[in-house]
Each structure stands twice: as structure tokens, then as C-alpha cells.
Amino acid sequence: MNPKIKKPNNSSSKKVTVSVLSVFLVFVFVNTFFYPSFYSDSGSIRRNLVDSRESFHFPGNFRKTKVYMYELPTNFTYGVIEQHGGEKSDDVTGLKYPGHQHMHEWYLYSDLTRPEVKRVGSPIVRVFDPAEADLFYVSAFSSLSLIVDSGRPGFGYSDEEMQESLVSWLESQEWWRRNNGRDHVIVAGDPNALKRVMDRVKNAVLLVTDFDRLRADQGSLVKDVIIPYSHRIDAYEGELGVKQRTNLLFFMGNRYRKDGGKVRDLLFKLLEKEEDVVIKRGTQSRENMRAVKQGMHTSKFCLHLAGDTSFACRLFDAIASLCVPVIVSDGIELPFEDVIDYRKFSIFLRRDAALKPGFVVKKLRKVKPGKILKYQKVMKEVRRYFDYTHINGSVNEIWRQVTKKIPLIKLMINREKRMIKRDGSDPQCSCLCSNQTGIIHGV
């Protein structure tokens, strides 16, 4: 052995691993025994994904989570809608939130502003005294702010200034400072929403659609909640089966993306000449949305390709259309996987396999009509989870997911308070169980 080469010291990495594992095991134990599933049908979905019962009854000993929603200055909410419209209004609260794929922030805000009697089946209750709250919800329209800034650059609005002023406002609040924001919930749906200030809010429970833009010390599969995009097309209500679905495969979207989406151009070249495959470029115009609806409603399979990130809204358009998703997006993280097994209605393909000439269409042509029908039946049962307008849909499920974080939040708060001094090399447990395995699933 060369005497100049020292053996690596693994004691530090072992220390980190043991610490992280210990905290995670405690979280699992507490969560399993003290926070069981709230819905009677959620448990049945874990056992049998096609159980269609929808009950809003809670166990007798269940206490709803108390959520306090900040009364934010209007420039973080309705003021952003005003900026989007480009016109001043005497009463901004009468403005209509514009429809787009990031409407989750509007639906969550609207849910907390409606009368409690109308919040059927919700696992949370809004409280107006912050001293009573279990969690604090920050209702800023961060995704819309990003859209406003990118839509009309140079007209005087700055999303970066909005982000900075929002976090400065939060850091001035007693309840944020009390636990360094750990018991706060912040929606950051767009992959770039709150990007500038993410390091200052990363202790909070983040509601995100994509993990790709979050560093390992910012996002976590344990701490945060993956939420669905708001689907943009009408749900398919016709007959199940393949009779009305004349296309084998459908995709419509941007052909050229950044590094993460280079596979799109390659697959376009492989698939665009197939006789019963519809794959074409298209933006989110009204005319194209009608074409997407027609294409998805008349296709057996719908392609989901990684774009700038691994996640895209067309996955939920496909589910609403009962068009079997074919997912070519290595490392994708999906919403609500504690109650939904996506393998029961989706086909996952590895990128390297999908790029082999003829592989995709050959595999899909082998799927028999009976199998497609089974996929469709499961999609019909689970698509309420991805519907923000459903009485027991995305909004209630997001709140259920958030409520399950409370044991970990309390653990981290108590742990942090008793820590006298943390060495810079010690593990920062805000990022427990982030997706760093590098495992790729699929055919």
C-alpha cells in the first residue's frame, strides 16, 4: 500500500446515517400509531385500489388539525391577480383568479375562506387565534407571481421583489420566529416559485409539484408534500374500453426543452411516423387545449415525457381522460403514493429503453383490450384525488398529507430546542429521506 494514501474515515458518514435513520424510525412509529388514515376509503384503497366507497366519517377519537391562515397583505394574494390582469380595481377581492396548471394555490386559499359547514370531509379546521393553531398556512400566490413576471417582463412587476418582501414579512411574525417556520405550510407549486428565498423557508412544509428544482437540503419526501397539477381539460365521461379510442398513443406539447427534456426530441423522431400515433408540438392556447382533449379522449395511451423537470401537468390530463399514462421520466416523484399505486393504471418505461427504435409501440401494441379496461377502471376510481373541484378530491387529500407531518414537525421542534450548539458537520434533519437513491424504476 502506498503510505501517502490514507484510508477514508467513514465515522462521520456513519454518524450521519445513524442519526437520520433514528429520527426517521421515530417518525414512522409515531405516525403509524397516532395518525392513522382519516378516510375510511383511504385504507381500502391501500388494500384494493378499485374500492369506490367515499365516506367522510372520522373515528370517534379523531381531532381535526387546527390551521391558522395568515391575513397576508393583499399584494401577496389578490394584488398578484390584479397584476396579472394589468388593470387597477377598486375592490381587488372581487377579481377572478386566472385559470392555469398551478391553480392549487387558489383552491387551497379558497378552501380556508369558505364557511366551515361547506368544508365536507376535511381533516382540518380553520382557527382565527394563532395561539390555538397546530399549523400555519401561508397563502401567497407564488406561482401566479412567477407567471406575471415572466409573462410581461419589463412592465414594472418583480417576482423576486415579491419573494423577498414575503419572507421578510414572515420573519417579522412572532409565530414564524417561535419555531423557525417548521410548523408553517407554504405552497410553491411552480418549480421556480420562491426559488430565490427557498433557503429561508425550507424548514416549512413545502407543497410542491416537482422535486427536481429543490436541493437535497431543501426538499424531502418526509417533510414536504407532492401535490398534483390542476388538470386543464374536461374529464372523459364516455364508455370505458377501446372502442372509441382509435389512436394507440397521443402526445402534444413542446418538442424542445432544456437538458432534462432532451428525450422529447429523440422520441418525436422515433414516433412521429407511426401510423396510429399522434405526437405533435403545441402550446397551451385554447385551440390546442381543444385538440389535446380530443386527442386524449380518443387514445388508448398518453405519453408523459420529462420536460424541464421530471413532472408535467399532462399526466393529470391523461388520468382525467382515462387515457393510460405511459411515463418516460426517470426518477419522477408522484403525489399521494401512500394511497395510490400508479402501477395499477400506468406504464413506466426507462428512458434508455424508450429510445430504442420500435420499443414503445411494440410494447403498447401487446397490451390487450381487457388490460386497458382494467387500467381505465382504476383511473376512474382514483381520479378524484387529482381533481381540485371534487368535494373529496385534491384539497382534502393535501390537507390529509399535511396533517400526517405533525409528529415529525413536533419531533424536529423539540429536538432543535434542546440542541445547544450544532456543529456544521452534523446532519441537518430538515431533508430526511430526500430522493437520493438514484434508483430508476420501469421497463
Side-chain angles (χ1 to χ4, degrees), residues 84-123:
H84 184 274
E87 296 181 6
K88 294 294 181 180
S89 175
D90 294 333
D91 180 16
V92 292
T93 60
L95 295 174
K96 184 178 180 181
Y97 190 96
H100 62 84
Q101 64 189 20
H102 295 296
M103 287 191 71
H104 38 253
E105 58 191 14
W106 171 252
Y107 286 116
L108 291 167
Y109 173 78
S110 299
D111 181 61
L112 286 174
T113 56
R114 75 182 69 203
E116 196 63 33
V117 68
K118 293 186 177 181
R119 303 184 61 254
V120 180
S122 178

Side-chain angles (χ1 to χ4, degrees), residues 235-278:
Y236 176 79
E237 301 297 349
E239 295 182 5
L240 301 184
V242 300
K243 184 178 179 180
Q244 304 300 325
R245 296 180 180 265
T246 55
N247 300 320
L248 175 71
L249 181 64
F250 177 85
F251 176 86
M252 187 172 181
N254 289 320
R255 177 168 182 165
Y256 304 103
R257 305 304 295 176
K258 298 176 183 178
D259 290 344
K262 286 182 177 179
V263 68
R264 286 193 180 189
D265 181 46
L266 297 174
L267 273 173
F268 261 80
K269 293 175 182 177
L270 290 174
L271 297 172
E272 59 188 352
K273 293 182 180 180
E274 294 289 341
E275 184 177 352
D276 52 354
V277 171
V278 178

Side-chain angles (χ1 to χ4, degrees), residues 29-159:
F29 175 82
V30 176
N31 202 45
T32 301
F33 290 98
F34 295 100
Y35 282 81
S37 177
F38 303 133
Y39 303 130
S40 61
D41 68 335
S42 291
S44 66
I45 287 176
R46 289 187 182 92
R47 297 186 300 272
N48 181 359
L49 227 151
V50 297
D51 189 341
S52 62
R53 291 175 296 170
E54 292 184 10
S55 172
F56 302 140
H57 298 295
F58 299 111
N61 62 348
F62 173 75
R63 181 182 75 84
K64 289 192 174 186
T65 298
K66 297 177 180 179
V67 177
Y68 176 82
M69 182 170 70
Y70 281 109
E71 293 289 346
L72 292 176
T74 56
N75 59 296
F76 300 126
T77 54
Y78 284 101
V80 183
I81 301 177
E82 182 180 51
Q83 292 287 347
H84 184 274
E87 296 181 6
K88 294 294 181 180
S89 175
D90 294 333
D91 180 16
V92 292
T93 60
L95 295 174
K96 184 178 180 181
Y97 190 96
H100 62 84
Q101 64 189 20
H102 295 296
M103 287 191 71
H104 38 253
E105 58 191 14
W106 171 252
Y107 286 116
L108 291 167
Y109 173 78
S110 299
D111 181 61
L112 286 174
T113 56
R114 75 182 69 203
E116 196 63 33
V117 68
K118 293 186 177 181
R119 303 184 61 254
V120 180
S122 178
I124 68 167
V125 60
R126 182 183 180 185
V127 295
F128 295 87
D129 181 355
E132 298 178 4
D134 300 307
L135 296 171
F136 296 79
Y137 181 65
V138 182
S139 58
F141 298 160
S142 58
S143 292
L144 183 60
S145 176
L146 190 65
I147 291 171
V148 172
D149 196 19
S150 61
R152 290 191 299 277
F155 85 108
Y157 183 81
S158 170
D159 175 60

Side-chain angles (χ1 to χ4, degrees), residues 190-234:
D190 188 285
N192 286 317
L194 301 181
K195 182 179 179 180
R196 183 181 180 87
V197 296
M198 188 55 67
D199 283 333
R200 295 164 66 185
V201 300
K202 66 181 181 180
N203 281 347
V205 177
L206 303 174
L207 308 184
V208 296
T209 53
D210 269 298
F211 267 21
D212 288 24
R213 299 291 177 87
L214 297 179
R215 298 194 313 268
D217 64 328
Q218 294 174 335
S220 159
L221 296 179
V222 172
K223 178 182 72 71
D224 304 318
V225 176
I226 303 173
I227 63 176
Y229 284 100
S230 177
H231 65 77
R232 307 160 299 167
I233 64 175
D234 297 332

